[in-house]
Every structure is written in C-alpha cells, then in structure tokens.
Amino acid sequence: MAMMPRMELRQGQSLVMTPQLLQAIKLLQLSHLELQSFVEGELERNPLLERTDEAPEPGSLNGAGESPHTADAETYARAESLNTQEGMEGRLGTGLDNVFQNEQPQAARLETQGADSLPIIGGAYGGSGGSFEEGPDGFENGLTSELSLHDHLRAQLDLAITAPAERLIGSHIIDGVDDSGYLTEPLPDIAERLGVDLARVEAVLAVVQGFDPSGVAARDVSECLAIQLRDRNRYDPAMQALLANLPLLARRDYAALKRVCGVDDEDIADMVAEIRRLDPKPGRAFGGSAAETVVPDVFIRAAPDGSWLVDLNPDTLPRVLVNQTYHARVSKVARSDADKAFIAECLQTANWLTRSLEQRARTILKVASEIVRQQDGFFAHGVEHLRPLNLKTVADAIGMHESTVSRVTSNKYLACSRGVFEMKYFFSAAIAATGYGEAHSAEAVRHRIKQMIDEEAPGDVLSDDAIVVKLKGSGIEIARRTVAKYRESLRIPSSMERRREKAAMALAGR
C-alpha cells in the first residue's frame, strides 16, 4: 500500500471550553467565602469593577450590572465646604486655634517645620507612629486577641526557667505542641537539632509538662491523663494499670480491666468516672485557628398557604457593578493599541463576571426550590419523612446536567426551621420497603436506628439482628450488615459494649 500525503475535509462536532465557560463552571462549586475571595481578586485586577455594599435602588442600574455614577453637584459642593476651615470650625463649634496648652508647642512646630520634619517618636497625638493605620502603636494594636496556647506556655517558661540554654530548649518544645496540647515532635529530633543531650531535653520537658493547663506537652493520651491524675493525687498503681490498657477501656471490657487492675466492680466504676472527668485535649481551651461559622446560602420559610418560600441569602451574594462612566472616560484618552486592548478586555471580563454571578444565584435558587419540592415531607414533619433522592431526579426536573447540580450543591447550605443543613444532605440512597411500599431514605433509616438505640432499656439492649426485625416490622427491608454499617457511622458501639456500659453506669449510680 503506497503512503502519500493528501488533504481531506472532515466535519465533526466538539465542545470547546472557553476560559469564560471554565470560570463560570468554577463559580458554581465555590462556597460563599471562596466566592468572596475570588471577587476581591477581580476587584483588585479590574479597574472597571466596583463594589456596592447596598442593594441598588430601582432605576439606579443602567442595564445589567451597570452604574451610571451621576453624582449630585449640590451634595458634592456641600461636602467640599465642610473640609474648609470655616466649615470645620462651624461643625466643631470652636476655632481651630483653640487647643490645649500641651498641644500648642507641637502645633507651632507643625507650622514652622512642616509635617516632613516632625520626629517619629512623640507625635502630635502621642505614641510612636502618629497614625491609626501604621506604626507599632497604631490603632490595630489596641485591639485584643484571644490568648493562644503557645503564648500562654511561653509566659510560664520565662518565669520557670532562667538559664538561656534550657529556655531555648523549652521554646523548641513549645513550638512542637499542637493546638490540642500534645507534643508532636519527637524529643530525639529536638536534641539533634539543638546539639544537646537527650536527657537534657527530657528534663526541660518535665518542667513544661508542669505548666498550665494540666496535661500539656504530653506525647500521647495515656501520658496526658497521667499528668492530670498526678496533679489530683490520684495516680496510684491501679490507675497506672488502667492507663496502660486504654484499648480495653475503649472497648468497655470492664471484666478484663478489673483483672488487670486488681479491683472490684465499685472501684472500677469510680476509676472510669475519674477518667471521664479529665480533659484529653487540654489545649482546646485556648485560642487556636478561628472556627468558620456556617452561613446558609438559602433560607426556607413556611408560607401562610402551607407552601414553602425559598429565598437567597443576600449576605452570600457579592454585589459588583460595571463602571460604564469610567470606561467611557478612559476610552477617550487611550492612545496605544495595548491600552485599548486592555480596556476592552477589562470591560469584557467585568460584564462576564456580573452575568456569571447572576446566573450562579439563579441556578442555586432553582436547585434549592426543587430540593424543597422533593423533600417537602422533611420540612413539614422531620427527618423520618426524608425521601430517597439522587442528582438525576433533580437534574431532569430543572433541565440541567447532573454535574451542574452536583457543583451547585457542593459547599452550599440551607437554613430552615429545623436547622442548617448542607444541600447534599437531602440526597440519600433508597432502602427497599417490604411488599410494594414506597422506598425509604437511607438517612431516615439511620435516624430510626439511632432513635431505637436511644430508647432501649438497660436490661433489653438491642442487637443488630433485633434491630433488623423491628425495622422489617415497620416496613423497611434491610440487611444486618447494613444496620451494622449505619450504627458504626453514627459512632454507636455494639450491643455487647452498650450492655457493659449500661451495667457500669447502673453500678456507679448505686
């Protein structure tokens, strides 16, 4: 077969993902915090974009996302008059030369020397920076912050250790303590990095472990609890044996613990109660990384007619406008082709961003409304009436692709009278019903299992097989391994462990 170059024409279809389309898809799956960060970056890069903190009044928008910027000349002139000496004196009710005696020398120097020749220390308003925004003694330093665990430990280190070498070792040990209060860096690594003996590092660690809070700088849970028990004078041989066998305590195997510790039922109950009063994470009482508060993207309210009202949270929707007046002004003075191309690109990007934000809000509202329509039983009666739902059902109902619904429901939250829920919470697998009944939601079945275990009597602890029988009596067809999987996901121990725990609690209550 001869091989030779030739030209041929083919016709086909392909999806071309433009940068704007890729960004629009990315905006859908961003949370409101990530969206705010993205918009802030666009506001810094694009001079034609501006933020509006308040919702625009009717008639204030010129087209989609455009700001006319028609300032009132009379208001502008009035604002300018307030900045003059006469305006400030009239507003303050006194003359500008009416100053306190200790301020007069500084004011005189300001007139004779000028602002550039003023010394940095001892400014006109005291302090070292002379500014609210800049300098070490500015306004920001007057704000208080929550004391961190590391700062709390370093303050005690300065009082407990005076030798520079030991203080340096203690500082490195404190740096290795995490937010929970545990020492995560091995001592040999600290000794090797500082070039000192391991025994010297261990001696300093013993001092740091005596700091407040009790149990800090421990290397594991057993050591953390042991430190707290020593402070309470409760670290006896029986407690020492108990801490050496914490896996037995986690499994609630009290019979084995009694044999290991050499105590009776009453003593083991007291020891377990003492352990429960300790804090396994002593560092959590101090300021660590700030916890982010969940802000719902959608609000669900009951309407007077029995339906549901779905509203977007305006606090999660960034409001940006395109400054058309500024665009027209800079377009007139642009001379080079590069400047004209830059202005045109900024205008195109700004218009695209405003349209994408509007489309994102519209899509979230549409998906949320369909979720509320599908799960109206949950909002009216609770989690037991949660229906099985998948992405395809919602996508087909609103005429979108499943991937779009998945992106919209990621990192989005919905607030109703029953609390704040992630949108993906309402999508759950279906559990078959006995006979020809309607399928049940996996989340509703999980809630039913938890409710049954919470209501069980101390003398009648339900096994997984017993739970299966009860669920089948309620019309839910489920396997025993599925019940065990749901129970473990709820962090509920097995029936044997629950029986031991209830027996120990009953013994302790005597």
Side-chain angles (χ1 to χ4, degrees), residues 308 371-381 385 387:
W308 300 100
I371 291 176
V372 172
R373 192 183 71 83
Q374 295 282 349
Q375 302 289 3
D376 57 342
F378 166 83
F379 296 101
H381 305 290
H385 297 268
R387 298 174 52 193

Side-chain angles (χ1 to χ4, degrees), residues 209-287:
Q209 287 180 346
F211 291 170
D212 178 73
S214 180
V216 74
R219 286 160 287 188
D220 52 36
V221 179
S222 178
E223 186 178 19
C224 177
L225 300 179
I227 295 172
Q228 299 180 49
L229 288 172
R230 288 193 190 97
D231 293 342
R232 300 185 181 195
N233 197 21
R234 286 280 294 160
Y235 192 63
D236 50 25
M239 275 292 189
Q240 187 175 0
L242 176 61
L243 295 182
N245 295 272
L246 286 180
L248 294 177
L249 180 60
R251 295 197 300 268
R252 296 175 175 84
D253 192 352
Y254 300 120
L257 283 175
K258 286 189 297 182
R259 291 193 301 268
V260 171
C261 300
V263 295
D264 55 13
D265 292 339
E266 186 176 357
D267 290 336
I268 196 65
D270 292 340
M271 293 167 64
V272 172
E274 184 71 25
I275 292 293
R276 287 177 175 171
R277 285 193 290 268
L278 303 179
D279 189 0
K281 294 183 179 180
R284 62 183 175 182
F286 293 84

Side-chain angles (χ1 to χ4, degrees), residues 78 80-96:
R78 188 183 303 113
E80 286 294 319
S81 65
L82 293 176
N83 294 328
T84 61
Q85 179 176 354
E86 292 79 2
M88 286 187 289
E89 290 178 346
R91 189 169 68 254
L92 297 175
T94 183
L96 294 181

Side-chain angles (χ1 to χ4, degrees), residues 240-455:
Q240 187 175 0
L242 176 61
L243 295 182
N245 295 272
L246 286 180
L248 294 177
L249 180 60
R251 295 197 300 268
R252 296 175 175 84
D253 192 352
Y254 300 120
L257 283 175
K258 286 189 297 182
R259 291 193 301 268
V260 171
C261 300
V263 295
D264 55 13
D265 292 339
E266 186 176 357
D267 290 336
I268 196 65
D270 292 340
M271 293 167 64
V272 172
E274 184 71 25
I275 292 293
R276 287 177 175 171
R277 285 193 290 268
L278 303 179
D279 189 0
K281 294 183 179 180
R284 62 183 175 182
F286 293 84
S289 56
E292 296 181 355
T293 304
V294 174
V295 179
D297 299 87
V298 181
F299 291 115
I300 309 299
R301 296 180 293 110
D305 58 355
S307 60
W308 300 100
L309 300 177
V310 183
D311 299 321
L312 291 174
N313 185 2
D315 295 335
T316 63
L317 301 176
R319 302 183 183 95
V320 292
L321 301 176
V322 182
N323 193 336
Q324 295 288 356
T325 303
Y326 183 69
H327 171 260
R329 187 187 310 163
V330 296
S331 298
K332 295 178 181 179
V333 299
R335 296 292 182 264
S336 64
D337 295 338
D339 294 342
K340 294 179 181 178
F342 174 75
I343 296 172
E345 182 182 0
C346 289
L347 180 63
Q348 182 181 3
T349 304
N351 288 329
W352 163 82
L353 180 61
T354 54
R355 287 195 298 268
S356 297
L357 292 176
E358 183 180 356
Q359 180 65 28
R360 177 183 181 273
R362 197 179 298 120
T363 306
I364 293 175
L365 185 62
K366 186 181 298 185
V367 172
S369 300
E370 182 60 25
I371 291 176
V372 172
R373 192 183 71 83
Q374 295 282 349
Q375 302 289 3
D376 57 342
F378 166 83
F379 296 101
H381 305 290
V383 67
E384 294 182 353
H385 297 268
L386 196 65
R387 298 174 52 193
L389 184 65
N390 54 32
L391 297 174
K392 188 176 185 304
T393 303
V394 176
D396 294 342
I398 62 179
M400 292 184 178
H401 197 267
E402 294 179 41
S403 61
T404 303
V405 178
S406 177
R407 292 186 179 94
V408 169
T409 54
S410 297
N411 303 317
K412 309 295 188 306
Y413 292 87
L414 182 150
C416 61
S417 59
R418 302 190 179 276
V420 179
F421 301 89
E422 190 177 6
M423 284 192 180
K424 285 189 177 296
Y425 172 82
F426 299 95
F427 296 89
S428 61
I431 302 296
T434 56
Y436 297 97
E438 187 178 358
H440 301 269
S441 168
E443 189 65 33
V445 174
R446 189 181 288 108
H447 175 76
R448 184 80 62 86
I449 293 174
K450 183 179 183 302
Q451 196 174 38
M452 292 168 60
I453 293 177
D454 292 340
E455 295 174 353

Side-chain angles (χ1 to χ4, degrees), residues 111 150 193 196 200 203 261 293 307 312 366 427 457 483 500 507:
E111 295 178 359
H150 289 174
R193 185 171 66 251
V196 297
R200 198 172 182 181
C261 300
T293 304
S307 60
L312 291 174
K366 186 181 298 185
F427 296 89
V483 171
R500 290 172 181 168
L507 183 62

